[in-house]
Amino acid sequence: MKLDTRAMRHLASEDWRVLTAVEMGSKNHEIVPTPLIEKLARLRGGVSGVHRSISALAKVGLIARVKEAKYDGYRLTYGGLDYLALHTHASRKVVYSVGNRIGVGKESDIMVVADHSGKQCVLKIHRLGRISFRTVKSNRDYLKNRNAQSWMYLSRLAAMKEYAFMNALHEEGFPVPVPLAQSRHTIVMSLIDAFPLRQISEVPDPASLYADLISLILRLASHGLIHGDYNEFNILVKEIKSTDEDGKESVTLEPVIIDFPQMVSMEHVNAEMYFDRDVNCIKRFFLRRFHFTPTQPGPFFKDAKKTVGKGGLKRLDATVEASGFTKKMLKDLEAAIKEKETVNEGQEGAEEDEDDYDEDGDEESEEEEEEDGDDDGSEADDGEGEGRQEALLTGGLS
Ligand code: ADP
Ligand code: MG
């Protein structure tokens, strides 16, 4: 599923009201009955106006008609949810235009967007439950048992959790993108001008970058946190160029960490496993890519555990609960992320020894590949940030 903002400008304010009504109705109804949409939208033009908007929205795929034995109605599609989120970001003047897609995660779309002043930012759209690509049959069976509502619910939770942690980490001075806004299943953050570690074939001093990355793991731990997916895709490496007094140029590398929906507390029952996995992921990558082996063993969980909250360090693991997450929400999200990991492991197994970015860097399904052949998407996935920005503003946004 790809974000296509072309229809956005053609929606009238009544259409937005009706779309919002379908979203509201979805809270209690898997399929929102038409009379309920009419009631929630309360358009001045009356029922016929609502029906006109319903057709317009269904035509561009923002809502979908569902025929049930009991009653007919509509459900919000992922596209509809995307539009509502973008509409909110646009009304709050966070996003003015949408540009290229720079990343397709297994469970997200990453787009470059710009605000009114033209400043570029990143929009991350969570799509939990979108396990597709070279899927094995069991994934398809698993998908069948999931209804769209639970995908949306989980994607929303992922965005909320990621935003809460990004805020907390940013406030504590960690090198993370600046969190700018969150709406539904999306977040807006600053654009980091850097490549993922995965794309870096050589570094002047692997030992020093390794030490920085391990010390970030330890610093997170001292605040009660484990990243949980600390790999070469989720570490961006900034190159800071400087010139000394003699005119000699040097480059220092500065890691920036991203991707936080799966973060766990140092108190989690499986904390040690997650901690060790993060550490080993870095070790394995440095060995394979840079032929680097650290001289010291560890770091070890039991030592890191002793540093949690030491000297009055702020505990950040309580962040998520403090931001309104219930235990059930956390459990639901954790279960979904675990399922995703199991599927990912199955896929990665086959490509374990491939170290070439180009070969497995593109995770798109064939269907999506075809869609990208059209004029709007053809340049979207080449990783180059520059491109056309599609303005969002519509008559409905007054
Ligand atoms: P996922 O949860 O799907 O793994 P990520 O948050 O890790 O999503 O983002 C996927 C990719 O998008 C990253 O590997 C990175 O290349 C790019 N990316 C994400 N956020 C940013 C950002 N703020 N600035 C620059 N690139 C980013
Ligand atoms: Mg990632």
Side-chain angles (χ1 to χ4, degrees):
M1 132 112 245
K2 194 183 148 194
L3 178 67
D4 179 354
T5 58
R6 278 173 297 190
M8 211 153 163
R9 271 163 296 166
H10 305 299
L11 296 185
S13 59
E14 297 85 58
D15 303 334
W16 286 109
R17 277 188 82 117
V18 172
L19 190 58
T20 308
V22 178
E23 183 188 36
M24 284 162 68
S26 305
K27 293 201 174 117
N28 302 316
H29 295 77
E30 202 157 307
I31 301 155
V32 192
T34 313
L36 181 62
I37 303 175
E38 287 161 6
K39 202 172 132 212
L40 291 168
R42 269 188 284 146
L43 288 193
R44 245 186 247 131
V47 172
S48 71
V50 175
H51 289 188
R52 233 189 346 263
S53 287
I54 285 180
S55 320
L57 295 170
K59 202 168 150 213
V60 286
L62 304 182
I63 59 175
R65 177 136 190 241
V66 189
K67 283 189 183 170
E68 283 273 290
K70 268 183 274 167
Y71 63 91
D72 280 359
Y74 292 83
R75 63 172 180 80
L76 194 66
T77 64
Y78 245 134
L81 194 66
D82 290 354
Y83 270 42
L84 285 166
L86 276 174
H87 189 250
T88 299
H89 289 311
S91 321
R92 294 184 185 153
K93 305 237 183 300
V94 178
V95 174
Y96 175 75
S97 60
V98 174
N100 290 336
R101 180 162 63 173
I102 53 166
V104 191
K106 290 194 173 82
E107 307 272 322
S108 76
D109 283 329
I110 312 285
M111 319 279 304
V112 174
V113 296
D115 67 10
H116 278 77
S117 70
K119 196 181 116 225
Q120 292 195 318
C121 312
V122 163
L123 171 77
K124 176 169 179 179
I125 309 176
H126 285 270
R127 303 206 189 280
L128 229 68
R130 182 185 70 173
I131 300 168
S132 54
F133 326 124
R134 312 147 188 169
T135 39
V136 284
K137 187 173 167 294
S138 64
N139 294 350
R140 292 197 193 278
D141 291 345
Y142 147 86
L143 278 177
K144 252 188 251 154
N145 300 326
R146 277 286 167 91
N147 63 39
Q149 266 62 31
S150 77
W151 298 8
M152 288 183 199
Y153 162 71
L154 292 167
S155 299
R156 240 176 237 258
L157 290 187
M160 282 166 64
K161 185 175 168 192
E162 176 152 47
Y163 192 67
F165 276 126
M166 204 182 284
N167 261 315
L169 292 169
H170 176 65
E171 269 172 29
E172 210 50 52
F174 277 90
V176 298
V178 183
L180 300 171
Q182 188 243 321
S183 171
R184 299 173 178 86
H185 60 324
T186 69
I187 57 181
V188 182
M189 61 184 127
S190 63
L191 172 71
I192 305 297
D193 183 17
F195 288 111
L197 180 58
R198 170 74 174 180
Q199 272 170 274
I200 293 174
S201 52
E202 246 182 296
V203 290
D205 185 5
S208 124
L209 182 60
Y210 175 83
D212 287 349
L213 293 176
I214 295 294
S215 74
L216 274 171
I217 293 183
L218 294 174
R219 193 170 149 210
L220 284 171
S222 70
H223 286 277
L225 286 177
I226 302 168
H227 184 280
D229 199 9
Y230 203 68
N231 62 37
E232 62 272 27
F233 295 98
N234 293 333
I235 295 161
L236 309 180
V237 183
K238 274 211 266 193
E239 284 189 350
I240 316 283
K241 292 199 172 93
S242 56
T243 320
D244 68 10
E245 288 161 8
D246 307 328
K248 223 179 102 199
E249 274 194 13
S250 62
V251 179
T252 43
L253 300 180
E254 262 183 41
V256 177
I257 324 169
I258 57 166
D259 205 355
F260 313 112
Q262 69 295 316
M263 282 196 114
V264 293
S265 164
M266 285 288 283
E267 312 284 349
H268 190 280
V269 276
N270 296 322
E272 182 159 10
M273 183 276 284
Y274 288 121
F275 180 90
D276 289 346
R277 196 173 69 179
D278 278 2
V279 169
N280 289 330
C281 206
I282 294 304
K283 285 193 172 169
R284 200 170 50 236
F285 183 78
F286 270 69
L287 178 62
R288 272 166 57 180
R289 179 64 58 88
F290 307 123
H291 309 292
F292 170 83
T293 320
T295 46
Q296 306 251 329
F300 299 107
F301 177 74
K302 62 174 182 356
D303 302 323
K305 187 77 199 270
K306 289 182 204 140
T307 70
V308 177
K310 219 174 165 189
L313 276 183
K314 197 168 168 193
R315 291 285 297 256
L316 300 180
D317 46 350
T319 299
V320 159
E321 273 168 82
S323 63
F325 265 74
T326 62
K327 288 241 154 45
K328 177 174 183 312
M329 285 167 148
L330 282 173
K331 241 175 73 194
D332 288 348
L333 185 58
E334 198 178 326
I337 288 173
K338 224 180 247 148
E339 279 170 17
K340 153 189 157 182
E341 281 174 1
T342 319
V343 175
N344 288 354
E345 274 160 24
Q347 290 181 340
E348 275 160 17
E351 334 172 290
E352 188 55 46
D353 294 322
E354 301 237 353
D355 226 1
D356 184 344
Y357 181 77
D358 286 325
E359 276 192 337
D360 57 0
D362 186 359
E363 302 285 0
E364 290 205 4
S365 71
E366 278 164 25
E367 292 149 51
E368 279 189 317
E369 209 84 86
E370 268 165 33
E371 260 178 56
D372 284 349
D374 68 25
D375 52 2
D376 255 61
S378 53
E379 60 194 343
D381 295 313
D382 57 11
E384 305 292 336
E386 299 300 311
R388 191 148 58 90
Q389 296 268 337
E390 189 88 27
L392 295 178
L393 286 192
T394 72
L397 268 182
S398 44

